Amino acid sequence: MSQPIPVQITVVSAQDLKTLKSNLLFTLVRVEYNGAVLGDSSKTHVLPDGTAEYDFSTSFEYSPDGPNSLDVLVQKPVLLTLLEVASKDKKKTEKIAPLAQAVVDLLPLLQGVRSLKVLAPLYAVPASPSAKLYPEATAGLEVIVSTKELLLSATQFSSGNLLSITLEAAYSVPEAFTADAQQNYMACLQMPAAGEKELPLLFKNGILKADGEKEPFPRPKNWPLGPILAPDALNIPDSFIVGGPYEDEDGELNKSEDKEFRTQAESSRRVVWDMETRCFLDADAVAILQRRIAECRHWPVELCRMSSGGKGKTNKPDKKDEDKPIAFHGVAYVNMMHLLCPGVTQIRGAFRVFNYEDSEVFEKTRVQYSIFRDRRSQLSLGKERLGTSPSSKAAPSKAQKEDSNAMVVEDYHKRVTSVAVAILREYHELFGKQLLDQGVMDHETMEEQKRQLNYELNTSGKYFAFKEQLKYSVVKIVREKYLKTTAFETKEQLQAFLSELYVYLVDHMHMALNKLLSGEDVSAAPPPNTTRKQLLLFAREAEANKDLKLASLFYNQRIARDQHSIQAWLDYGAFCLLYEDATKAQECFQQAVCLDPQHIQSLLLCGIVCVKLQTYEEAEIFFEDACCLEPSSIIAWTLAGLFYELQNNYIQAERSFREAKKLLRAELEEERRILEAAEAEGKKPSSPSTGPEKIPDGSADKPPEVVEGGTPKEEATAVQEAPEAPEPQPPPRTIFMKSVEFLMKFNAVRFVHKALAHELLSLQGGPTCAYYLALGWTYQLRENLPRWEECLREAVRIEPLNPNVWAQKGHLCYLQKDFDKAKDCYERVISFEEDAADMHFVYLRLGSIYLDEKEYGRAKHIYLLACDNSASCLTWLGVGIACYRLEEMLEAEDALSEANALNNTNAEVWGYLALICLQDSLSGAVLQGGRQLEAEQCYKYTVKLGLQNDALLQEIREAQHRFGFGDPSL
């Protein structure tokens, strides 16, 4: 029996506690693990800046055979509860109440880490009547978790595998299922675990939901924990259920004839878990799992409904739990065979649930027992209650409900204020800012100005845009204050509700406007809808679509947002350099140098543009300055050498190249030394020089379009996906390829050609994949598609598993209008574990191909991936079009509204919004054709913005004709 290993947990400090509660004075932290309280810190004063220093340590023992075993560490996080310490008055003792909770995942301790330092976000406990908590809280706990030795050796971890199982929901549940608090809806399956044991993986406390809307995508996965005080703390960080088209699933009910049933079932009564549980399989367990799947592909997952005890019982385990009857007992047969296929790491799908019959279960799975019936003693079926506070958890009080309503209404106030400020700005543009100094404006003038303002707002489409800004805050009030999510049975009920809602909204509109006009609590103007990073993305999208005017507009907007952003000036300069406006590029690069005369990247780019403008003396000064300011920069010396070579100054060129190579040798030697030292300690860190050289430039905003292939991480991926292939060797890193990566970021094509010529001469084993990708990039810019194709053919030959190669090949086929081949390439890219450098454009173009082929389900899935990766107007437009074609009108309008919020000058977005408004009017979804006016406004804006999609324009006009009104532009 192995010796226990202490796992020490140190709560160092807390940050931003004032965002939880403004008048917070004293707090303490309680640490719990696996249902046991490990200890409380001492009472600590909260400083005025919202920080608190705890320096509190506690520990538990990890033991393979103890209560905190390997299986527990994989599944359960540490729970931290922040408690407020206060006294009601001088005569009474201190009162302790929970404020917030945080969790810390211990999985890294099993992945070769001995010390883990995290800033765990604190999630607010629902507010008590005596104190209001703020939902925008940004508080967090700084926590260190450490062990004296590795919990798993490198060999143990590499030979095993981590298995995670997510249970989303059970649909079409029996009518006998009720929302009774004493009913526990559970599912369970058993897996081989470390040490040749059988590990039951239990999903408890499923929530029965009534008829209503479908579960949203994406949505967070939950920890397999019992009820806790802060429900948001149950969300597993960066782990989401993303959904996908039925036809892409691995399970059952994924045919076209099942779609209607799935759609109906997923919005009807259902039991929802959205829970992920994990287990670590050692080498023996992996072998057992593989053998059992090969012998019998189906794996039983049991589902049951069981009473959790009578009223008034405590949460202590009841010995009679084992004897309680199972009210419902079903089983699903999950086909696990796909996991044995090369490259497959997950399966997802819907599976039918059958009544549990011993003979049938044995026939399909060779399992001779039921976990719920025969092995219930292995399960902990009592309802866990983690993080219980010193005070009882009573039902929400009236004050709590009022606090909740206040948070719902606060968003509405902000939106009203934002729209009011925008309308005032429109008024100033029409009539000027100077108002009458004395007296009151006469009624006739006021009415005339009002008429003109209304006309301007309606004809420009701004009226509809303002209304869109208010829509979601109103929907939120309807859902969360009035708890209304279903349709009205009669027109009278609808009218009564609308009247009540109208009065409520108008009252709060007046409150918001009075606060704005009186100057009380006037906050800063709301931030713009788009960030600088998003504007850069929009500009690149416009470049890819050859809309250079729009791209220039986005680059200029980015500079206008922050004229002191060096990176914004450099990016715009790179755009100008590519499209032959070298003088404008020079102005941009010089502006960057003015902002920081010692900015190496700006100096180098000034030198490059001077070469293009043939002002060679100035160029030499810039290159020399860069080398003097940063003598350890490989790229600076290499570019200086290329410049001197252009001037036929071969002595200086050779000197510069020699200095760059000396620096590279020193860098590689240092890397080798670090690697050897790390291997001696049993670690293998990532190589510090696998990427481009770090120049102090803040250039992380713009990743390189081509990434040099063959890094150690890519090698590992290639081995996993094709075990029979020989392990590729990393290509030699040279000063010229390091420089090429920098030059390609800023479109310095002439210097790229010079560097690639040297690269070709310096290599002993022939050109690398990165060489051909870079050379192909130059042909792509010149639209020389045959030569680009030749380069990609060589790149595929050298590195057939490099996702960047297949992404570029997909782009080539797309531009050649060979959409079948482009689709194959793009699908290959998204199947790789590693992403390509330009996944955004892979998603956009693959989604457009799916739309053209009327594969709307796949298009929706791909565009949603793009939105998750880097949302833009075009990604949300793709989602909206796919949803519209799938007749998912609500989702379509939501997606198009997101697109409109990011860019309200896209004519196609307005066109599809017009179609949706017409569709609602045609279907009678809005009484008396109430969306006709919206449809007209959307169409006017579509025409004003110059829609180029003739098919969409024709579709709108046909819908207008069916509705019975003409073209408002005529």
Side-chain angles (χ1 to χ4, degrees):
M1 187 172 179
S2 59
Q3 292 295 321
I5 300 175
V7 178
Q8 180 168 300
I9 302 163
T10 301
V11 183
V12 181
S13 61
Q15 299 179 6
D16 293 332
L17 293 184
K18 297 292 186 178
T19 63
L20 286 168
K21 187 177 179 183
S22 58
N23 59 347
L24 195 59
L25 294 179
F26 294 95
T27 61
L28 61 85
V29 175
R30 174 166 297 164
V31 182
E32 299 174 66
Y33 189 68
N34 195 18
V37 176
L38 302 182
D40 293 355
S41 71
S42 58
K43 183 176 73 172
T44 303
H45 178 62
V46 179
L47 299 176
D49 63 355
T51 62
E53 300 292 332
Y54 299 104
D55 291 328
F56 166 69
S57 294
T58 184
S59 66
F60 66 88
E61 289 188 338
Y62 159 79
S63 174
D65 304 306
N68 299 318
S69 62
L70 176 65
D71 302 326
V72 173
L73 259 68
V74 171
Q75 293 186 53
K76 295 188 178 182
V78 173
L79 182 67
L80 305 151
T81 304
L82 181 75
L83 302 166
E84 179 186 12
V85 184
S87 57
K88 284 191 172 181
D89 53 51
K90 296 180 180 179
K91 297 181 180 179
K92 294 190 175 181
T93 58
E94 290 179 331
K95 178 188 174 184
I96 298 178
L99 280 180
Q101 290 183 311
V103 294
V104 176
D105 191 0
L106 299 182
L107 184 62
L109 295 180
L110 307 178
Q111 299 172 319
V113 174
R114 287 206 300 260
S115 182
L116 174 67
K117 183 177 182 179
V118 297
L119 181 63
L122 278 165
Y123 298 96
V125 172
S128 64
S130 61
K132 177 180 177 181
L133 299 182
Y134 297 91
E136 300 86 5
T138 58
L141 288 175
E142 184 179 344
V143 183
I144 299 175
V145 183
S146 61
T147 60
K148 291 185 178 179
E149 55 185 290
L150 290 175
L151 302 186
L152 285 180
S153 68
T155 303
Q156 288 174 317
F157 181 75
S158 61
S159 63
N161 210 331
L162 185 68
L163 175 70
S164 64
I165 299 172
T166 301
L167 179 62
E168 298 179 20
Y171 300 106
S172 294
V173 297
E175 291 295 330
F177 281 25
T178 64
D180 184 357
Q182 302 303 323
Q183 300 298 317
N184 198 344
Y185 299 99
M186 299 179 284
C188 190
L189 67 162
Q190 194 144 305
M191 283 288 168
E196 300 186 2
K197 297 183 298 184
E198 289 287 318
L199 175 67
L201 301 178
L202 181 64
F203 300 84
K204 298 196 298 184
N205 306 322
I207 300 172
L208 182 68
K209 293 193 175 182
D211 293 357
E213 297 180 352
K214 295 171 62 174
E215 303 300 316
F217 290 110
R219 60 186 189 273
K221 297 179 183 180
N222 297 326
W223 291 106
L225 303 177
I228 62 177
L229 299 179
D232 288 345
L234 281 176
N235 296 345
I236 302 176
D238 300 322
S239 186
F240 296 92
I241 297 170
V242 296
Y246 300 149
E247 58 267 27
D248 292 345
E249 293 179 352
D250 303 297
E252 305 162 359
L253 300 169
N254 55 0
K255 304 296 187 296
S256 57
E257 56 266 28
D258 301 317
K259 180 177 180 181
E260 183 178 354
F261 167 75
R262 292 281 298 272
T263 302
Q264 181 180 359
E266 291 177 7
S267 58
S268 302
R269 294 177 74 252
R270 59 208 182 274
V271 178
V272 178
W273 288 271
D274 286 346
M275 187 180 296
E276 180 186 88
T277 187
R278 308 180 294 210
C279 67
F280 181 79
L281 308 178
D282 63 9
D284 293 336
V286 170
I288 293 171
L289 180 62
Q290 291 174 333
R291 188 186 73 245
R292 287 176 59 182
I293 293 176
E295 291 173 353
C296 186
R297 64 180 62 190
H298 292 108
W299 206 274
V301 179
E302 295 184 46
L303 176 69
C304 86
R305 174 170 68 97
M306 189 180 299
S307 174
S308 58
K311 294 182 179 179
K313 288 195 174 182
T314 66
N315 293 315
K316 294 180 180 179
D318 190 348
K319 293 182 179 179
K320 295 182 180 179
D321 277 342
E322 296 181 27
D323 301 324
K324 290 175 183 174
I326 300 176
F328 172 85
H329 195 186
V331 62
Y333 303 101
V334 179
N335 187 349
M336 306 272 276
M337 185 59 72
H338 295 291
L339 290 178
L340 298 186
C341 299
V344 176
T345 59
Q346 72 169 16
I347 57 174
R348 178 183 183 272
F351 299 89
R352 294 181 177 89
V353 177
F354 302 90
N355 285 332
Y356 193 97
E357 298 290 343
D358 289 332
S359 58
E360 185 178 356
V361 173
F362 178 76
E363 179 183 351
K364 288 191 174 183
T365 68
R366 293 297 183 266
V367 174
Q368 300 180 349
Y369 58 86
S370 162
I371 302 174
F372 284 125
R373 188 191 62 212
D374 305 324
R375 300 195 173 184
R376 206 183 299 180
S377 60
Q378 299 180 20
L379 306 175
S380 174
L381 299 184
K383 285 199 174 183
E384 295 178 55
R385 188 168 299 280
L386 299 182
T388 53
S389 69
S391 56
S392 61
K393 279 189 70 178
S397 65
K398 180 179 179 181
Q400 285 175 303
K401 292 178 181 177
E402 289 176 355
D403 287 342
S404 176
N405 289 339
M407 291 186 292
V408 173
V409 175
E410 185 179 356
D411 182 58
Y412 176 67
H413 282 210
K414 289 180 180 178
R415 297 292 179 182
V416 169
T417 302
S418 175
V419 170
V421 171
I423 293 175
L424 187 61
R425 189 181 303 118
E426 294 292 327
Y427 176 85
H428 287 159
E429 289 181 3
L430 283 174
F431 308 113
K433 292 186 178 182
Q434 300 299 324
L435 301 178
L436 294 177
D437 294 333
Q438 296 178 346
V440 179
M441 184 182 297
D442 63 90
H443 180 73
E444 185 176 340
T445 303
M446 187 183 298
E447 286 298 315
E448 176 61 21
Q449 290 187 354
K450 179 180 177 182
R451 187 191 64 77
Q452 290 184 40
L453 179 61
N454 284 335
Y455 177 80
E456 176 63 25
L457 294 178
N458 279 283
T459 56
S460 66
K462 293 175 182 176
Y463 167 80
F464 180 77
F466 292 150
K467 192 171 70 172
E468 285 290 299
Q469 291 184 36
L470 293 173
K471 182 170 72 174
Y472 290 102
S473 59
V474 174
V475 170
K476 202 171 182 181
I477 289 174
V478 172
R479 288 180 176 173
E480 299 186 25
K481 174 179 171 57
Y482 289 96
L483 304 177
K484 189 64 184 171
T485 58
T486 57
F488 292 92
E489 297 180 359
T490 65
K491 293 182 181 180
E492 289 75 15
Q493 290 180 351
L494 172 62
Q495 192 58 46
F497 173 75
L498 290 177
S499 298
E500 181 184 355
L501 178 64
Y502 177 78
V503 172
Y504 182 85
L505 293 176
V506 169
D507 286 345
H508 279 277
M509 177 190 72
H510 288 152
M511 292 179 192
L513 293 178
N514 289 337
K515 184 181 291 186
L516 172 68
L517 297 176
S518 65
E520 295 177 7
D521 192 25
V522 177
S523 58
N529 289 335
T530 53
T531 64
R532 289 198 304 255
K533 185 177 180 181
Q534 286 176 314
L535 288 172
L536 180 61
L537 178 64
F538 301 165
R540 288 183 181 157
E541 288 178 337
E543 280 189 75
N545 293 329
K546 300 300 180 184
D547 191 343
L548 303 185
K549 184 177 180 181
L550 181 61
S552 179
L553 175 65
F554 284 129
Y555 279 119
N556 278 287
Q557 285 183 3
R558 191 161 171 254
I559 290 174
R561 191 72 55 81
D562 182 6
Q563 295 191 2
H564 296 283
S565 170
I566 293 177
Q567 196 60 43
W569 285 105
L570 296 187
D571 289 335
Y572 185 38
F575 169 78
C576 296
L577 187 65
L578 179 61
Y579 294 103
E580 303 303 327
D581 192 352
T583 303
K584 186 68 175 177
Q586 185 181 40
E587 293 174 4
C588 294
F589 296 149
Q590 286 178 347
Q591 181 64 34
V593 171
C594 290
L595 291 171
D596 183 0
Q598 297 186 347
H599 193 257
I600 306 303
Q601 191 179 38
S602 302
L603 291 170
L604 292 174
L605 291 172
C606 281
I608 289 170
V609 77
C610 284
V611 170
K612 188 174 181 67
L613 293 172
Q614 298 183 3
T615 54
Y616 299 112
E617 291 182 0
E618 292 182 32
E620 184 174 6
I621 293 172
F622 283 119
F623 286 122
E624 287 184 351
D625 283 351
C627 292
C628 291
L629 287 171
E630 192 66 44
S632 62
S633 171
I634 297 172
I635 293 176
W637 284 109
T638 305
L639 296 189
L642 294 175
F643 165 74
Y644 286 125
E645 195 173 63
L646 283 170
Q647 297 298 298
N648 298 323
N649 188 343
Y650 298 108
I651 296 176
Q652 281 287 76
E654 184 59 32
R655 173 182 171 273
S656 299
F657 291 148
R658 187 166 59 249
E659 185 66 26
K661 290 175 182 178
K662 182 178 72 174
L663 291 170
L664 179 62
R665 282 194 301 271
E667 182 181 280
L668 295 176
E669 179 62 26
E670 176 66 13
E671 178 186 332
R672 183 188 63 79
R673 188 189 64 77
I674 293 173
L675 191 62
E676 290 177 352
E679 287 177 346
E681 296 179 4
K683 298 180 181 179
K684 188 173 182 181
S686 58
S687 173
S689 60
T690 54
E693 176 188 353
K694 291 287 185 182
I695 296 181
D697 56 359
S699 61
D701 286 352
K702 184 169 184 179
E705 299 220 353
V706 178
V707 177
E708 187 169 87
T711 63
K713 192 170 184 180
E714 289 169 340
E715 291 171 31
T717 303
V719 173
Q720 290 176 2
E721 296 197 9
E724 69 278 5
E727 182 178 25
Q729 297 297 319
R733 293 190 295 276
T734 66
I735 61 172
F736 301 109
M737 286 311 296
K738 276 182 168 288
S739 301
V740 163
E741 291 173 353
F742 166 78
L743 294 167
M744 288 172 63
K745 287 183 187 179
F746 297 100
N747 303 321
V749 181
R750 185 179 182 184
F751 275 76
V752 168
H753 277 296
K754 292 287 295 181
L756 289 178
H758 277 280
E759 174 73 4
L760 191 62
L761 293 173
S762 65
L763 292 175
Q764 300 295 325
T768 63
C769 176
Y771 169 84
Y772 282 114
L773 283 176
L775 184 61
W777 174 80
T778 64
Y779 291 126
Q780 175 192 357
L781 293 182
R782 289 187 290 179
E783 298 184 358
N784 189 339
L785 301 188
R787 297 298 300 272
W788 185 19
E789 187 173 12
E790 292 175 10
C791 293
L792 292 179
R793 191 181 302 119
E794 291 299 315
V796 169
R797 178 184 61 80
I798 297 170
E799 288 191 22
L801 298 178
N802 188 330
N804 293 299
V805 175
W806 290 103
Q808 295 302 313
K809 189 171 177 62
H811 296 331
L812 171 65
C813 296
Y814 189 88
L815 295 176
Q816 292 174 329
K817 301 190 183 303
D818 190 345
F819 298 120
D820 287 336
K821 286 186 178 179
K823 181 173 73 171
D824 290 342
C825 293
Y826 290 145
E827 288 176 341
R828 186 187 292 256
V829 172
I830 62 177
S831 71
F832 284 114
E833 185 176 342
E834 287 290 319
D835 284 342
D838 59 346
M839 286 302 294
H840 183 77
F841 294 100
V842 172
Y843 288 139
L844 279 180
R845 288 175 171 174
L846 180 57
S848 71
I849 293 172
Y850 284 147
L851 286 180
D852 290 340
E853 295 180 350
K854 299 183 178 181
E855 297 185 52
Y856 302 125
R858 289 188 172 186
K860 177 183 175 182
H861 173 67
I862 289 298
Y863 279 121
L864 282 172
L865 288 176
C867 291
D868 186 54
N869 183 59
S870 48
S872 71
C873 175
L874 297 185
T875 61
W876 282 115
L877 172 61
V879 176
I881 296 173
C883 291
Y884 177 79
R885 300 304 177 192
L886 291 169
E887 299 182 358
E888 298 171 352
M889 296 302 169
L890 289 176
E891 293 184 40
E893 187 168 5
D894 287 346
L896 292 169
S897 297
E898 292 285 348
N900 214 3
L902 291 172
N903 178 14
N904 63 0
T905 63
N906 187 298
E908 202 162 346
V909 173
W910 288 103
Y912 276 100
L913 282 171
L915 278 179
I916 289 174
C917 294
L918 289 171
Q919 188 71 27
D920 281 350
S921 298
L922 286 168
S923 64
V926 178
L927 298 177
Q928 300 176 349
R931 303 201 75 177
Q932 176 182 346
L933 179 60
E934 292 181 44
E936 289 179 347
Q937 297 298 335
C938 291
Y939 180 73
K940 287 178 181 178
Y941 220 44
T942 302
V943 174
K944 183 176 181 179
L945 290 169
L947 178 65
Q948 301 297 316
N949 188 334
D950 294 335
L952 176 58
L953 203 58
Q954 182 63 27
E955 189 174 359
I956 298 171
R957 287 171 174 164
E958 290 175 358
Q960 289 174 329
H961 180 70
R962 291 198 303 273
F963 189 72
F965 65 89
D967 188 339
S969 67
L970 298 179

